Amino acid sequence: MLRRLVLASAASAASLAVLSAGGPFAAAASGPLPVPVPLLSADDSLTITVERSGNPAADGTFRLECGPDRASGTHPRAQRACERLEELSADGRDPFAPVPQGRACTQQHGGPATAHIKGTWHGHRVDAHFARTNGCEIARWENLQPVLPLARS
């Protein structure tokens, strides 16, 4: 992948050199050059740490790598987790957003499970914490399944 990125950068630099040197397309270029579309899209990479979920197989630290047409890492349901994150990201939404301040939440306890998701998603840094401390937080956790595991109370 690094080799393709270097080649793509070299090709872009060569194209700019031809244009700035008055090459064959210089006369046609009036005004600013169009913004180039990236030749490669960066993969999204997340580290997910789950504790006290009630399922020892679901507890631990997992890597989730999501890219165009692929999912990988140590996450047990990588493909479905990447698909779910894409669904939750539709229309520019943030799948990791905290519960808005001031929102009324039922005072129920969903168990001791906690999770921490850190990394990059759609070019943005992620550093999100999850717990099942009230109805809103339980809903937030469950909305991310299977990124986060089904937790037992």
Side-chain angles (χ1 to χ4, degrees):
M1 184 163 158
L2 181 59
R3 178 186 158 103
R4 287 191 289 175
L5 182 58
V6 169
L7 291 175
S9 296
S12 296
S15 298
L16 287 175
V18 168
L19 287 173
S20 63
F25 299 104
S30 61
L33 294 174
V35 175
V37 175
L39 298 176
L40 300 172
S41 64
D43 288 344
D44 296 307
S45 177
L46 299 169
T47 300
I48 303 162
T49 302
V50 178
E51 296 178 342
R52 299 183 307 276
S53 70
N55 178 358
D59 289 350
T61 299
F62 306 94
R63 295 283 304 155
L64 180 62
E65 306 281 336
C66 303
D69 302 319
R70 71 167 191 82
S72 63
T74 59
H75 191 283
R77 298 188 63 201
Q79 183 64 43
R80 183 63 190 114
C82 290
E83 290 169 358
R84 181 64 181 148
L85 286 171
E86 284 298 335
E87 290 169 12
L88 294 171
S89 298
D91 301 322
R93 291 177 293 170
D94 179 1
F96 309 104
V99 173
Q101 284 194 346
R103 174 165 290 170
C105 301
T106 59
Q107 296 304 305
Q108 64 190 79
H109 184 68
T114 61
H116 182 204
I117 301 177
K118 191 170 184 166
T120 305
W121 181 255
H122 288 194
H124 299 281
R125 288 183 184 258
V126 174
D127 190 359
H129 294 270
F130 297 82
R132 300 173 58 83
T133 55
N134 62 48
C136 295
E137 293 293 347
I138 293 168
R140 182 173 171 245
W141 180 295
E142 291 178 355
N143 192 45
L144 269 181
Q145 288 177 1
V147 179
L148 295 178
L150 180 62
R152 299 180 190 142
S153 301

